[in-house]
Amino acid sequence: MSTAFKSGFVAIVGRPNVGKSTFLNRVVGQKVAIMSDKAQTTRNKIQGIYTTNESQIVFLDTPGIHKPQNKLDEYMDQAALSSLQEVEAVLFMVSAIETRGAGDNYIIDQLKKVKTPVYLIINKIDEVDPNQLLPIMDTYKKAYPWADVFPISALKGNNVDQLLDSLVKILPEGPQYYPDDQITDHPERFIVQEIIREKILENTRQEIPHSVAVYVEWMRPNDAGKLQIEASIIVERDGQKGIIVGKGGQRLKYISVGARREIEKLLGTKVNLKLWVHVQSGWRDKATALNNLGYSSKNDY
């Protein structure tokens, strides 16, 4: 006798830089969310799809929740918090190498309004002594009635399969929303933009990450049979443009080459990538600019 197919949506929330994107990429087996050691890397709700013969879990990897400093931050917080009302379960991810702080307490207060099961996920256990785990778990257990607690390593894979099995058990019977081989609902254009932004984060200094956006102007095959991609990099100040371009255009070349190689691997085709850097002062606080760049509640990819 065959069992009924189960499906549902699961949100991943937590402070910036606790490993949410690493976890999502681990689960779906391919990069759908960019990873960086710089905080607030994820800006949109990244949707990743985990499918087996018996079930399908659609994960929402939300931006790291933090105190807003501008309209972009407000958008990111709203995107994260709104997802909590639309899912079968919530994963609250914390880092084993960081102590519980005001940011965690703020998120826990928001979780108290949620009616669905909330799991505590303690990530990066591969970076701490095992004897430290129980005190960390106790710190959080007193703050909220978690449905369950899972210490994991998203990077190494420790306990990730056990977490997935636990989630499947609470899913309702439902349809398979996406085909077996689909791992995200984002269009290729969005993934390309995120890959370019990741390479910028990897190659620039601390001031750049929060001040940069990427917009793909167009993607189409050229006469040579390659996929021609032209994209604009938006920054707020001339000095930031200089940092990205680099001496003699060298840093922009590194960014372009790194992004092109990863895009080719993702799409399985040769790519010709051209990048342009534009200064748009104060774009993070301008509603029109945010909307044009994809950061608005009406345009959440």
Side-chain angles (χ1 to χ4, degrees), residues 119-147:
Y119 290 69
L120 174 64
I121 312 300
I122 303 173
N123 190 24
K124 305 187 183 182
I125 62 171
D126 55 303
E127 298 185 41
V128 299
D129 187 292
N131 293 325
Q132 295 179 256
L133 281 178
L134 278 177
I136 294 171
M137 293 169 69
D138 288 341
T139 299
Y140 285 97
K141 279 185 175 180
K142 298 172 183 176
Y144 186 89
W146 311 104

Side-chain angles (χ1 to χ4, degrees), residues 3-276:
T3 57
F5 195 84
K6 303 177 78 176
S7 62
F9 295 79
V10 174
I12 313 169
V13 300
R15 281 197 296 174
N17 206 27
V18 295
K20 299 185 297 295
S21 298
T22 306
F23 171 76
L24 187 66
N25 293 338
R26 160 72 61 175
V27 167
V28 302
Q30 188 173 324
K31 179 179 287 188
V32 294
I34 67 174
M35 298 183 293
S36 170
D37 59 359
K38 299 177 175 68
Q40 300 174 31
T41 300
T42 300
R43 286 180 177 166
N44 299 77
K45 284 190 285 188
I46 310 293
Q47 195 148 301
I49 304 157
Y50 169 77
T51 307
T52 68
N53 292 332
E54 297 81 27
S55 63
Q56 184 171 80
I57 306 175
V58 182
F59 286 96
L60 303 176
D61 174 22
T62 63
I65 299 172
H66 60 288
K67 185 177 180 180
Q69 302 294 325
N70 49 53
K71 288 187 182 295
L72 175 59
D73 287 353
E74 290 174 5
Y75 163 76
M76 291 162 65
D77 262 15
Q78 184 181 13
L81 295 173
S82 66
S83 66
L84 305 185
Q85 309 302 327
E86 306 159 359
V87 296
E88 274 66 49
V90 176
L91 305 183
F92 174 46
M93 186 172 292
V94 300
S95 170
I97 60 175
E98 295 179 21
T99 57
R100 177 180 156 194
D104 296 305
N105 295 335
Y106 171 75
I107 299 172
I108 290 171
D109 285 341
Q110 303 304 313
L111 294 176
K112 291 176 181 177
K113 306 171 188 176
V114 176
K115 297 179 180 178
T116 50
V118 181
Y119 290 69
L120 174 64
I121 312 300
I122 303 173
N123 190 24
K124 305 187 183 182
I125 62 171
D126 55 303
E127 298 185 41
V128 299
D129 187 292
N131 293 325
Q132 295 179 256
L133 281 178
L134 278 177
I136 294 171
M137 293 169 69
D138 288 341
T139 299
Y140 285 97
K141 279 185 175 180
K142 298 172 183 176
Y144 186 89
W146 311 104
D148 209 338
V149 179
F150 281 89
I152 72 163
S153 168
L155 187 63
K156 306 283 187 180
N158 303 48
N159 295 331
V160 171
D161 288 343
Q162 290 87 332
L163 170 57
L164 293 173
D165 290 342
S166 180
L167 290 174
V168 169
K169 289 177 182 177
I170 67 165
L171 292 181
E173 293 182 7
Q176 182 170 332
Y177 294 102
Y178 298 97
D180 291 347
D181 59 350
Q182 187 170 344
I183 60 169
T184 183
D185 72 334
H186 285 300
E188 289 179 348
R189 178 185 293 261
F190 173 84
I191 302 296
V192 167
Q193 288 175 176
E194 289 291 271
I195 288 173
I196 296 169
R197 192 161 65 89
E198 179 182 56
K199 299 310 168 188
I200 295 169
L201 300 185
E202 289 178 357
N203 287 277
T204 57
R205 296 204 297 262
Q206 190 65 34
E207 68 172 293
I208 292 296
H210 314 312
S211 306
V212 68
V214 177
Y215 180 75
V216 171
E217 304 289 348
W218 48 271
M219 296 172 54
R220 59 172 176 257
N222 61 22
D223 294 337
K226 292 184 177 182
L227 180 63
Q228 183 75 26
I229 302 175
E230 298 207 5
S232 292
I233 299 169
I234 312 298
V235 294
E236 292 186 314
R237 299 191 298 275
D238 288 330
Q240 293 166 341
K241 178 177 179 178
I243 291 171
I244 289 178
V245 173
K247 187 176 180 180
Q250 197 65 29
R251 183 173 285 115
L252 186 61
K253 181 179 179 181
Y254 286 142
I255 292 167
S256 180
V257 170
R260 177 181 56 78
R261 287 173 177 166
E262 194 153 324
I263 293 166
E264 287 180 338
K265 182 179 177 181
L266 178 74
L267 302 182
T269 187
K270 291 293 184 181
V271 168
N272 186 30
L273 176 64
K274 287 190 176 181
L275 301 178
W276 315 94

